[in-house]
Amino acid sequence: MTTDDPQRNFRSAYYEKVGFRGVEEKKSLEILLKDNPLDVEKLSTFSQRFPLPSMYRIHVWKVLLGVLPPHSDSHPQVGGYRRQQYQDLVEALEVMRYIVPASPPTLVYLRMFQLESQVLPRCSETPPPNQDNQDFLSISRAMEEIVDDPVDCYWLVKTFINQFHHKFGDSIPHLPKSLEHYLIQEDSRLHLHLRTSGALAELPYSLWFQRCFAGGLPESSLQRVWDKVISGSCKILVFVALEILLSYKMVLLGISRAEGAVNFLSNIPQENTDAIVTKAIDLWHKYCGNPTHAV
């Protein structure tokens, strides 16, 4: 049965109404995960259209990011290689005295990433973390809350960041303009207020579009956003930012100084974020359609 089947859509709407949202989606994903080799494009499309069940999320991320190959029978062997490479990197960094056993895991991941990228600073003159390093550390801290195994955590952070910059590096500078475009359509009054107060130019774009909301949303909400980013959409970040602005419209209209708006948006209340992400995904589908391919 195709995902466009009207009977399936009716059943899904009914399930959602009575509280069984995702019943059929979970079954569909389980069928996809039995394919050998796995169809990465179908998994991407599924992840774009539906929330990933938490029990399969990390596995799907690993396949979409290339940590694991499409051929399922190779997974144990490749997983072993990844673990060995991780241990080799840790040992090399310990020998070179960049890390010690008590080093925070996120710092270990950063040094491993730098070593693999051949940008490891000299040990004697390790500079304070720059913007790129701060972005890496923020994403690492968030991933650490989502993923239990440090080996999986490192490989997911590394491939997530590499894919994000490789796929979307050219798009990232244009996301603030895209946000302004949709804000004008959704709420021109709020747009005018933010523009005239000077806040529009100062919004926490780095937190939103460089760190993909790591450190700005609790992990339970963040992972639903990352499902979409990992499966091929950076545009979702625009709609999460848009929905944050719309959800806190009355607060923002009451703040006259740009600095106050930026401080508030950099530390939004954490209790309402699941609803914000749900509405953001609805806005994304409204403007970008319900993807049959990664958007």
Side-chain angles (χ1 to χ4, degrees), residues 51-77:
L52 286 171
S54 55
M55 64 187 296
Y56 295 121
R57 173 171 279 117
I58 303 308
H59 184 66
V60 172
W61 283 7
K62 284 159 79 172
V63 172
L64 293 181
L65 290 169
V67 177
L68 291 175
H71 289 85
S72 303
D73 23 3
S74 304
H75 287 182
Q77 187 179 18

Side-chain angles (χ1 to χ4, degrees), residues 67-112:
V67 177
L68 291 175
H71 289 85
S72 303
D73 23 3
S74 304
H75 287 182
Q77 187 179 18
V78 172
Y81 291 150
R82 299 291 191 207
R83 190 165 297 276
Q84 186 60 53
Q85 192 173 345
Y86 174 93
Q87 288 163 351
D88 291 346
L89 288 166
V90 169
E91 286 172 19
L93 288 166
E94 285 177 346
V95 167
M96 292 187 287
R97 299 187 178 177
Y98 280 91
I99 60 170
V100 296
S103 296
T106 51
L107 179 63
V108 175
Y109 303 151
L110 175 62
R111 296 294 178 234
M112 290 166 72

Side-chain angles (χ1 to χ4, degrees), residues 17 82 85 87 94 118 130 147-148 201 241 257 269 271 291:
K17 196 172 179 181
R82 299 291 191 207
Q85 192 173 345
Q87 288 163 351
E94 285 177 346
Q118 299 182 330
N130 61 20
V147 184
D148 293 329
R257 294 182 59 190
E271 62 272 7

Side-chain angles (χ1 to χ4, degrees), residues 85-263:
Q85 192 173 345
Y86 174 93
Q87 288 163 351
D88 291 346
L89 288 166
V90 169
E91 286 172 19
L93 288 166
E94 285 177 346
V95 167
M96 292 187 287
R97 299 187 178 177
Y98 280 91
I99 60 170
V100 296
S103 296
T106 51
L107 179 63
V108 175
Y109 303 151
L110 175 62
R111 296 294 178 234
M112 290 166 72
F113 184 74
Q114 290 173 331
L115 179 58
E116 287 202 287
S117 307
Q118 299 182 330
V119 293
L120 195 63
R122 288 186 180 181
C123 203
S124 58
E125 50 189 58
T126 308
N130 61 20
Q131 183 63 54
D132 285 346
N133 292 348
Q134 292 290 7
D135 295 344
F136 184 98
L137 290 168
S138 292
I139 290 169
S140 294
R141 280 191 287 270
M143 192 71 83
E144 202 180 20
E145 295 296 318
I146 297 169
V147 184
D148 293 329
D149 184 291
V151 177
D152 283 346
C153 189
Y154 171 66
W155 282 102
L156 285 168
V157 170
K158 173 190 167 177
T159 52
F160 177 81
I161 288 172
N162 282 343
Q163 177 187 277
F164 186 71
H165 288 290
H166 176 70
K167 265 193 177 178
F168 308 126
D170 293 339
S171 304
I172 295 166
H174 303 291
L175 296 183
K177 205 71 190 160
S178 184
L179 171 61
E180 184 178 10
H181 168 76
Y182 292 115
L183 180 59
I184 290 168
Q185 294 192 54
E186 287 292 315
D187 199 314
S188 56
R189 181 187 168 206
L190 179 57
H191 168 261
L192 182 64
H193 173 77
L194 292 173
R195 198 184 71 193
T196 52
S197 70
L200 192 65
E202 304 293 330
L203 294 179
Y205 295 123
S206 176
L207 168 66
W208 293 349
F209 303 148
Q210 301 277 3
R211 301 181 185 182
C212 304
F213 291 93
L217 293 174
E219 284 68 30
S220 59
S221 304
L222 183 67
Q223 58 195 8
R224 294 168 56 212
V225 178
W226 284 7
D227 285 346
K228 311 307 180 194
V229 177
I230 288 169
S231 58
S233 171
C234 69
K235 205 71 175 284
I236 185 64
L237 301 173
V238 170
F239 292 102
V240 176
L242 176 61
E243 186 52 47
I244 287 171
L245 296 176
L246 296 174
S247 293
Y248 292 108
K249 170 183 175 175
M250 298 316 294
V251 175
L252 294 168
L253 288 174
I255 300 173
S256 57
R257 294 182 59 190
E259 185 185 357
V262 173
N263 287 341

